[in-house]
DNA sequence: TGTGCCCTGGTA
DNA sequence: TACCAGGGCACA
């Protein structure tokens, strides 16, 4: 599941592959993707040069030389695959971008929930997003403000991108485990001391995931991201901190994993 | 604030 | 073969 570290890595790879390139062919290969990337958008993309690529939260923005923007969201299963003309099309290819310089970028997405959308010059507006968790803007005070009016359990609130951007279901469970906070705790009742722990935990989890992605996972098939999860997808297994069984509950239609003994409400 | 929908490959 | 996974959005 691509969350902030994975999307950051994807944006870096995209930069390396096509920054400065000119698009000369764009193909939309799945009806769900075609909902967002219309024939008119495809026509507008051809001939445009890639000027800048940035990431905000889990959104990748490809800025083109005419001021238009290609917005990409991987959602659940999206990713980039890179090849050269003549290579066999990758499995689950949904959009294919080819450049004059000879690069081929495939947006692959088995579940086809991802979004690739073109915005005319000046028309793209970022959705409301909380601070980037790995920057100095993500402070205990900003977190406290964002949670002040939230009377829902903290776990689903952390998935709200307006609270903190880029955290998804897996790392929300992981961060709450690190911070020893029960996922059912009502968000605006959490003390400042515990919010400090939570902020630090979110940073720790995202940093660790980013480093593993850059320096380990890609090269070493035994070092899978799953192996790094401390509670996620470990229902019934022993908590690696206290030995209690990890529990699974459903919150806002998403699985939450936690330790009933060492994550206090 | 919570629920269901979009999607489809993988798994039980 | 039925069900599960879940990010973001629309809707109740």
């Amino acid at each position: 599941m691509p969350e902030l570290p994975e999307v950051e890595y994807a944006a870096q790879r995209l930069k390396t592959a096509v920054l400065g390139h000119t698009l000369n062919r764009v193909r939309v290969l799945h009806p769900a993707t075609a909902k967002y990337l219309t024939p008119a958008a495809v026509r507008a993309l051809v001939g445009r040069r890639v000027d800048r690529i940035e990431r905000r939260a889990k959104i990748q923005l490809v800025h083109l030389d005419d001021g238009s923007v290609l917005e990409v969201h991987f959602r659940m299963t999206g990713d980039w695959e890179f090849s050269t003309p003549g290579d066999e099309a990758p499995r689950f290819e949904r959009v294919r971008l080819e450049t004059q310089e000879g690069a081929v970028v495939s947006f692959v997405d088995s579940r086809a929930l991802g979004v690739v959308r073109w915005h005319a010059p000046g028309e793209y507006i970022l959705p409301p997003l909380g601070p980037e968790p790995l920057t100095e803007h993500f402070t205990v005070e900003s977190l406290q403000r964002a949670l002040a009016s939230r009377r829902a359990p903290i776990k689903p609130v952390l998935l709200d991108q307006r609270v903190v951007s880029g955290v998804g279901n897996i790392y929300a469970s992981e961060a709450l485990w690190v911070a020893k906070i029960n996922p059912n705790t009502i968000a605006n009742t959490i003390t400042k001391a515990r919010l400090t722990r939570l902020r630090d935990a979110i940073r720790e989890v995202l940093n660790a995931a980013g480093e593993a992605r850059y320096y380990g996972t890609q090269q070493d098939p035994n070092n899978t991201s799953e192996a790094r999860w401390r509670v996620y997808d470990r229902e019934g297994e022993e908590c690696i901190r206290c030995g209690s069984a990890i529990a699974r509950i459903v919150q806002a239609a998403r699985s939450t994993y936690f330790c009933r003994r060492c994550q206090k409400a």
Side-chain angles (χ1 to χ4, degrees):
Chain A
M1 256 65 75
E3 298 189 27
L4 189 148
E6 292 80 11
V7 178
E8 174 63 30
Y9 180 58
Q12 296 298 337
R13 286 185 295 148
L14 185 64
K15 252 185 228 178
T16 304
V18 300
L19 191 63
H21 287 208
T22 299
L23 299 172
N24 70 348
R25 193 169 187 218
V26 177
R27 294 171 66 197
V28 182
L29 302 158
H30 191 281
T33 319
K35 250 186 337 192
Y36 302 108
L37 202 57
T38 62
V42 168
R43 283 195 296 276
L45 280 165
V46 171
R48 299 272 62 89
R49 190 184 64 231
V50 176
D51 266 3
R52 190 161 57 90
I53 294 170
E54 64 170 338
R55 177 198 61 75
R56 270 294 275 131
K58 294 176 234 175
I59 304 165
Q60 294 171 77
L61 298 173
V62 180
H63 295 269
L64 301 158
D65 63 341
D66 63 346
S68 66
V69 173
L70 191 65
E71 171 202 5
V72 179
H73 198 303
F74 284 168
R75 295 273 177 95
M76 292 272 297
T77 51
D79 202 0
W80 298 122
E81 282 202 24
F82 304 96
S83 57
T84 51
D87 287 353
E88 198 178 326
R91 205 178 172 203
F92 309 127
E93 183 181 53
R94 307 307 188 201
V95 177
R96 185 180 180 88
L97 308 170
E98 298 178 12
T99 72
Q100 281 175 11
E101 291 78 1
V104 177
V105 179
S106 303
F107 172 70
V108 294
D109 186 12
S110 64
R111 289 180 196 167
L113 289 170
V115 174
V116 179
R117 186 162 25 203
W118 178 79
H119 300 267
E123 286 188 359
Y124 181 69
I125 300 168
L126 267 175
L129 293 170
E132 286 284 332
L134 299 179
T135 68
E136 72 277 15
H137 302 294
F138 183 48
T139 61
V140 181
E141 288 72 25
S142 74
L143 188 56
Q144 203 168 26
R145 274 195 303 276
L147 300 183
S149 63
R150 306 299 293 264
R151 275 171 279 177
I154 182 65
K155 160 64 174 23
V157 169
L158 280 182
L159 302 185
D160 185 337
Q161 300 296 295
R162 294 169 298 182
V163 172
V164 51
S165 62
V167 174
N169 197 50
I170 295 171
Y171 297 138
S173 276
E174 294 288 299
L176 287 168
W177 181 86
V178 170
K180 299 184 183 176
I181 294 171
N182 186 295
N184 283 312
T185 315
I186 300 304
N188 67 356
T189 66
I190 302 175
T191 62
K192 194 167 182 180
R194 305 185 91 206
L195 285 184
T196 306
R197 284 216 309 265
L198 179 56
R199 180 209 52 179
D200 293 345
I202 290 170
R203 286 190 169 158
E204 189 222 293
V205 164
L206 294 177
N207 271 322
E211 282 168 21
R213 176 67 64 173
Y214 286 118
Y215 305 119
T217 318
Q218 296 295 302
Q219 293 79 21
D220 178 2
N222 297 315
N223 181 14
T224 64
S225 55
E226 287 80 359
R228 302 197 314 276
W229 297 336
R230 285 169 278 191
V231 276
Y232 182 80
D233 206 24
R234 287 185 182 272
E235 183 182 16
E237 294 178 32
E238 285 183 4
C239 171
I240 59 173
R241 193 163 48 204
C242 77
S244 247
I246 296 299
R248 173 184 175 272
I249 57 173
V250 175
Q251 294 178 296
R254 305 284 182 267
S255 292
T256 298
Y257 297 86
F258 71 109
C259 172
R260 291 187 194 279
R261 189 192 290 172
C262 62
Q263 286 177 258
K264 303 282 185 224

